[in-house]
Amino acid sequence: MSLSDEDTIRIARHFLLSSPPGEFEDVLSDVRELIGNDDLLNKGAFDIFHTYNIEQLIPVDVPGKDYKIILSKYSEIEPTKYLDSRSNQVLTVDHTKGVVTEAEPRDEELSADVKKRVENLQKGVDAYVADHYLSGLATVFPSQDNDKEYIICITASKFNETNFWSGRWRSVYRVTFQDGDKVKISGSMKVNVHYYENGNVQLNTNKEYGETVDGSDIATEIGKVLRKAEGNFQTQIDTQCANLGETFKGLRKRLPITGNLFDFASNQHKLVASLSGNK
Amino acid sequence: MGDKQLHCAMDLFRRLPPVQLETNLTFVSELVPDLADELLQSVDCPLKIKTDSASGKDFLICDYNRDGDSYRSPYSNKYIPNQPDGVVPPDHLRKLEIQANELYQQYCDQYYDGGLSSSYFWDTSDEDDSSTKNNFACAIMFKKDGSGLRGVDKGIWDSIHVVDVKIGSDKKSASYELTTTIILSMCTEGGGLDLSGSVQRQTKVDAKFDDTPYNSHLVNIGKIMQDMENSLRDKLQSVYFDKAREITGYLRSKQTSGDRKIHSAMNMELAAALSNRKR
């Protein structure tokens, strides 16, 4: 019984979208070999690469600029077109290669209000990211359907093949300007870590966050909020790992209660004696 | 082709999330049905428990006591559900297997405090090659489920030791080749943080053995296995709990960049002070 083309693609998609940080290409080459049908795989490739890039918040260079933008569903105009609000351009992305192939000026200008808020948020978030991330990156987008709403994406990845590990941190926040100077901030943070020396160990964790704050100086306030929310999350990861570590110690003891190694010889001796005594 | 596909499948299991292992095993077997049997033999999955209704006792099931959909009970030596043609070990190995199940359960009681152990033996000698006479192999398994303790939703340890025993030409010594896999599955309350995976290690030890007053293979195997489990337990503690936190810290730093600079300056000063003390 042979698998239908649809099912084959469905499985390939599941494997690829489950790739640990930085290992998409490795998983792809395994999947290609297992399927042994490049034509079929190519049919599903666009959807798989596209979904992976926006789910994993993969950054791309903006041509002619000294910054990168993060690909995400929030800045997506259509599956190959993304808004860069900083330069007010529409970027065409080749998802397979993970590069921008074309940058065109956008027809309409962002309103002065929106532009100002994007700038302030970007400034605050950039300062925060520079402070706490070793190789992090953030992009702020105005929401496509509500000019009071803004999206912040933060992504940071580290791949250390020599020491057999990789990791990725992703955060997405929705910032809503409300009446008065109130600003509602809600979002989620995710961390994936893969450690694979003589094995395969993975950490997967996430946390939701939500708060309403004073937004009269959003550039400063956003940094404070993220520092607190993400700092708490990181402390929670430490505490939870420590708790699991305590449970681990109880699963298998370091030594038997006697403090000595198990003595196989004398125990087998007793066992053989009792087994023969039962005869 | 087959070998390359097996290699890719194994690489895939080294990369994809350990929590998906069993689903992914099914998917790879659907993609490449020819690999299914080989994968069942080469990929270690979390151990499952079955009850021997005759004795009311639980035992661990794996590929080493499987025949079709039936599993051999280490207590009755019968397959459940019944499998009249199911392979059973020859008498001399069954005798050893009975002793092993008793002895290693005692070891399990001392280290795992309520854990379950099962051991299975099989003949690896080749009728056409007299030098392989009396060669055998065994699988010794331990399972401890500590789920539900102190804020931990899931805390499961599975260890699988496979020992290949080759009798030396002097009939007094044997080589014991051990492959150990330990699978840990841990998750905090509410599923906020999952830390799961496996590590594998191999070793080969030569040792003398006796047949009188009793067969000492079980003592030799036990000692090698105990050394391996003890060393892997230490390794797991650092990999699972320390490494996961450490890598998260490479993504995001709790300290601000300013603090990091002060900190590294202090470290340099300290290093300089220490190096000045060297004579």
Side-chain angles (χ1 to χ4, degrees):
Chain A
M1 187 185 68
S2 150
L3 214 54
S4 72
D5 285 359
E6 269 170 32
D7 284 340
T8 303
I9 290 293
R10 185 178 49 82
I11 293 174
R13 186 176 196 276
H14 162 78
F15 286 158
L16 283 156
L17 296 184
S18 311
S19 308
E23 297 173 48
F24 184 87
E25 305 293 334
D26 303 285
V27 171
L28 179 62
S29 82
D30 290 338
V31 167
R32 176 174 283 152
E33 183 66 32
L34 290 175
I35 291 180
N37 181 349
D38 282 0
D39 288 345
L40 176 60
L41 192 56
N42 286 340
K43 279 185 204 152
F46 177 81
D47 167 56
I48 296 171
F49 277 84
H50 165 241
T51 310
Y52 181 85
N53 288 344
I54 62 172
E55 277 184 357
Q56 296 293 320
L57 304 180
I58 300 300
V60 289
D61 284 309
V62 180
K65 307 282 178 191
D66 60 354
Y67 59 87
K68 291 170 188 263
I69 70 154
I70 295 172
L71 299 179
S72 77
K73 62 180 176 190
Y74 309 103
S75 59
E76 187 172 291
I77 299 162
E78 52 184 86
T80 54
K81 307 268 187 206
Y82 294 83
L83 170 70
D84 170 22
S85 48
R86 259 187 275 185
S87 63
N88 201 37
Q89 293 186 104
V90 174
L91 310 177
T92 307
V93 170
D94 178 336
H95 282 291
T96 317
K97 295 189 179 124
V99 296
V100 174
T101 52
E102 203 183 339
E104 293 168 289
R106 221 166 134 256
D107 298 339
E108 49 185 316
E109 282 291 317
L110 294 170
S111 78
D113 258 11
V114 171
K115 217 170 159 178
K116 191 74 204 151
R117 281 171 175 167
V118 169
E119 272 172 27
N120 280 335
L121 284 167
Q122 186 76 50
K123 195 174 126 198
V125 175
D126 279 346
Y128 160 72
V129 167
D131 233 5
H132 283 279
Y133 284 85
L134 303 171
S135 56
L137 188 69
T139 308
V140 176
F141 309 102
S143 161
Q144 296 190 56
D145 37 45
N146 176 351
D147 65 5
K148 301 242 181 293
E149 201 175 274
Y150 299 80
I151 309 291
I152 300 169
C153 294
I154 300 177
T155 183
S157 303
K158 282 261 181 191
F159 316 127
N160 190 330
E161 268 183 88
T162 359
N163 293 309
F164 306 101
W165 61 259
S166 67
R168 176 168 293 148
W169 179 302
R170 281 173 288 162
S171 316
V172 175
Y173 302 92
R174 193 177 292 271
V175 178
T176 318
F177 288 84
Q178 296 175 323
D179 294 340
D181 277 329
K182 293 285 169 232
V183 173
K184 192 177 145 219
I185 303 170
S186 63
S188 68
M189 304 158 263
K190 282 192 187 119
V191 174
N192 307 101
V193 167
H194 184 209
Y195 181 75
Y196 50 96
E197 186 177 16
N198 299 321
N200 176 2
V201 177
Q202 301 194 16
L203 166 80
N204 270 298
T205 180
N206 60 75
K207 191 178 188 199
E208 305 284 320
Y209 165 82
E211 201 180 355
T212 300
V213 298
D214 174 55
S216 46
D217 177 9
I218 194 66
T220 312
E221 192 62 28
I222 193 68
K224 278 193 213 158
V225 164
L226 297 185
R227 187 168 292 124
K228 191 175 78 182
E230 302 206 327
N232 285 345
F233 179 40
Q234 199 169 356
T235 306
Q236 182 183 310
I237 294 174
D238 285 353
T239 321
Q240 289 185 328
C241 282
N243 278 347
L244 292 183
E246 284 306 308
T247 302
F248 168 83
K249 286 179 194 161
L251 290 178
R252 187 196 181 274
K253 296 195 184 77
R254 216 162 160 250
L255 281 174
I257 202 124
T258 58
N260 299 312
L261 292 174
F262 184 83
D263 185 344
F264 287 97
S266 77
N267 281 290
Q268 193 191 17
H269 183 75
K270 279 185 232 156
L271 179 67
V272 173
S274 81
L275 285 176
S276 54
N278 287 343
K279 272 180 192 168
Chain B
M1 187 69 176
D3 272 1
K4 192 157 184 218
Q5 283 191 318
L6 180 65
H7 177 83
C8 287
M10 296 306 287
D11 186 68
L12 207 54
F13 294 121
R14 204 167 62 101
R15 298 184 187 279
L16 295 181
V19 287
Q20 302 174 354
L21 178 64
E22 281 160 292
T23 322
N24 290 344
L25 201 54
T26 311
F27 283 159
V28 174
S29 302
E30 284 176 16
L31 285 181
V32 194
D34 289 350
L35 284 182
D37 275 345
E38 191 130 19
L39 287 175
L40 279 178
Q41 286 164 28
S42 350
V43 180
D44 290 310
C45 286
L47 296 165
K48 292 199 172 67
I49 299 174
K50 216 173 166 74
T51 306
D52 179 342
S53 50
S55 63
K57 293 206 278 191
D58 286 342
F59 63 98
L60 296 170
I61 64 171
C62 62
D63 200 54
Y64 305 103
N65 65 330
R66 183 180 69 91
D67 196 326
D69 294 327
S70 298
Y71 294 91
R72 185 167 64 88
S73 158
Y75 311 113
S76 63
N77 202 24
K78 296 223 164 57
Y79 279 87
I80 305 169
N82 191 30
Q83 177 81 288
D85 310 325
V87 183
V88 294
D91 287 347
H92 72 284
L93 284 182
R94 174 58 190 159
K95 210 178 135 199
L96 211 55
E97 185 181 80
I98 292 172
Q99 274 188 35
N101 273 284
E102 293 267 354
L103 182 65
Y104 299 141
Q105 181 62 47
Q106 288 178 10
Y107 166 94
C108 179
D109 291 341
Q110 293 204 11
Y111 276 105
Y112 290 92
D113 201 8
L116 179 62
S117 159
S118 294
S119 303
Y120 302 100
F121 283 60
W122 64 95
D123 192 358
T124 56
S125 65
D126 177 355
E127 267 180 40
D128 300 329
D129 181 354
S130 62
S131 74
T132 67
K133 195 170 173 250
N134 291 327
N135 285 358
F136 67 95
C138 61
I140 303 158
M141 294 168 292
F142 303 104
K143 185 179 190 74
K144 174 67 190 275
D145 189 342
S147 303
L149 300 170
R150 68 182 119 198
V152 169
D153 260 9
K154 192 169 72 177
I156 304 171
W157 168 301
D158 291 297
S159 51
I160 302 159
H161 304 275
V162 179
V163 194
D164 196 19
V165 184
K166 292 198 171 74
I167 310 297
S169 52
D170 62 359
K171 314 274 180 238
K172 286 181 182 132
S173 65
S175 97
Y176 301 86
E177 201 175 329
L178 169 69
T179 305
T180 295
T181 307
I182 293 177
I183 307 171
L184 257 183
S185 319
M186 307 197 86
C187 186
T188 60
E189 211 160 34
L193 183 140
D194 187 289
L195 194 50
S196 296
S198 63
V199 291
Q200 193 175 64
R201 205 186 276 175
Q202 290 182 312
T203 187
K204 196 172 166 181
V205 176
D206 292 324
K208 297 249 176 250
F209 72 93
D210 273 316
D211 270 323
T212 48
Y214 49 79
N215 184 303
S216 60
H217 283 310
L218 297 186
V219 173
N220 290 343
I221 291 170
K223 283 181 179 166
I224 300 165
M225 173 188 80
Q226 175 167 249
D227 285 349
M228 178 67 98
E229 270 204 344
N230 284 345
S231 110
L232 272 179
R233 185 192 179 278
D234 289 346
K235 163 107 182 160
L236 277 169
Q237 196 167 339
S238 63
V239 167
Y240 263 70
F241 309 105
D242 300 341
K243 204 84 194 171
R245 277 185 276 180
E246 192 187 314
I247 295 170
T248 306
Y250 288 131
L251 296 170
R252 182 188 183 277
S253 163
K254 286 189 191 169
Q255 292 179 318
T256 63
S257 58
D259 287 345
R260 287 200 297 276
K261 274 178 203 141
I262 295 168
H263 199 213
S264 77
M266 274 167 59
N267 280 345
M268 271 157 68
E269 231 169 83
L270 191 65
L274 286 173
S275 69
N276 284 341
R277 274 175 28 195
K278 276 184 191 159
R279 306 276 170 217

